[in-house]
Amino acid sequence: MLLSGAKSRRDLAVSLGVSKAAMTQAINRLLDMQMVDEGAFLSESRPGRKTISLRLRPGIAYFVGTDLEGSAIRACILDCEKKVVAGGKCAIGPQWSPKSISGQWQSLIKKIIKSSCIPMDKIAGIGVGLPGVVSKEELSTHTYLRGGEWVDFCAGDVLKKFKLKMAGGNNVACISEYERQLGIAKLAPDFVSVLVRYGIGASIYCNGTVAVGTKMFTGELGHMRVNMKGEDCICGRRGCLDTFASGRTFDENSFKTQKALNRELEKRSQYLGVGLANLLKLFHPPLIVLNGIYNKYENIVRPVLLKTLSEELEVLNLEVPEVVFGEPVEMKTSIGAAVLAAEQLFESYMDDVLDVRKSVRGRQ
Ligand SMILES: [Zn+2]
């Protein structure tokens, strides 16, 4: 129910590929154990046969979601209905060392768990979103911090003190999972999701699954080079999209007039359009979801972005996909990280819970 969104015995039987009789038996056990509730009759029921809706009890397990980016750490807790029950944020100063970030990160998560009053054994795991090139096994990243240096940072080491199972990926993967499961790309099998914050990342979804490498996340759209003679980039090459359009190179408070800011945003939107068009020439889904620092300037960014996409794509007879700006949800990346944790860790958590119950019953 958590993973497939099934809301009835019939949906569950189809999603798990088991008989209706076996499903009824299993659900009866879960009802006895007070893990699921029966609700109202579903409106889409066929005439003559009514289907009772089922609901997973929201409090049977919780998931911590957290993300690190250039300027802040965020964390939240989701219940089994994927609702946020606690959350918070901590800003990162430009001179912070990985060590001080680690300390703040631990205390932020500790504070949020404490404020939620959820016992630790009800937390099924932590989902972690990280910037840069992420190794999913160790949850480590090679990333560029605001202080101006590349660092290797292992979130797995920082968060292991909570003694919870961990899952995670790049921040773009987390925010994209949010959009696919709870946001604007719900039910869209093919789309490109772009996140512009300190850097620029992209996730590609094809046939309902994300196209990610087995070890490394390869969504570094920001380091697509758009001008070989451009400015030096942090990656060591020149003229990457990052140098023209990332949050790293953009200080919205440095413009004296609104007109100057608008002109800069238009120029940035044009570069973003060229970068996206390069991607769309390779993979052409009907939807692009954009999140990050430009979303609050949608009225300026959107027309230039669409015009650039149209100019770049029409020469190849390619249509301009629908471009949607994601809703401004502060905790989006952290929520997405928690959703990833739910997907990867819930089943083994429930196995453990049921094993414990079985052994307690055995002793009685
Ligand atoms: Zn670069």
Side-chain angles (χ1 to χ4, degrees), residues 21 77 102 127 132 182 197 225 241 287-288:
I77 301 181
S102 306
L182 304 165
R197 292 206 289 198
R225 297 171 74 197
L241 181 59
L287 174 68
I288 293 174

Side-chain angles (χ1 to χ4, degrees), residues 222-225 233-243:
H223 297 290
M224 171 188 282
R225 297 171 74 197
C233 181
I234 51 170
C235 69
R237 308 299 289 165
R238 311 181 100 186
C240 295
L241 181 59
D242 187 278
T243 64

Side-chain angles (χ1 to χ4, degrees), residues 195-228:
L195 175 63
V196 187
R197 292 206 289 198
Y198 194 68
I200 306 172
S203 250
I204 296 173
Y205 279 78
C206 187
N207 295 328
T209 43
V210 65
V212 181
T214 48
K215 269 204 154 175
M216 296 286 194
F217 184 78
T218 46
E220 291 289 334
L221 181 65
H223 297 290
M224 171 188 282
R225 297 171 74 197
V226 288
N227 179 352
M228 303 234 282

Side-chain angles (χ1 to χ4, degrees), residues 256-275:
K256 288 203 175 85
T257 62
Q258 186 64 40
K259 207 172 154 194
L261 172 64
N262 290 0
R263 218 179 303 130
E264 176 64 21
L265 283 166
E266 283 166 7
K267 201 173 84 191
R268 286 171 167 267
S269 312
Q270 204 179 357
Y271 275 104
L272 201 57
V274 170

Side-chain angles (χ1 to χ4, degrees), residues 77-119:
I77 301 181
L78 286 200
D79 66 16
C80 277
E81 285 191 318
K82 295 176 188 163
K83 291 210 174 87
V84 177
V85 294
K89 174 187 170 182
C90 166
I92 296 177
Q95 300 310 327
W96 286 32
S97 66
K99 201 176 159 204
S100 51
I101 291 174
S102 306
Q104 288 297 326
W105 204 355
Q106 289 171 341
S107 44
L108 176 70
I109 293 176
K110 210 168 132 189
K111 200 171 86 187
I112 287 164
I113 294 176
K114 197 172 169 212
S115 74
S116 72
C117 299
I118 295 164

Side-chain angles (χ1 to χ4, degrees), residues 315-329:
V315 285
L316 298 176
N317 249 343
L318 289 169
E319 264 177 49
V320 175
E322 186 186 357
V323 177
V324 185
F325 287 63
E327 296 283 316
V329 177

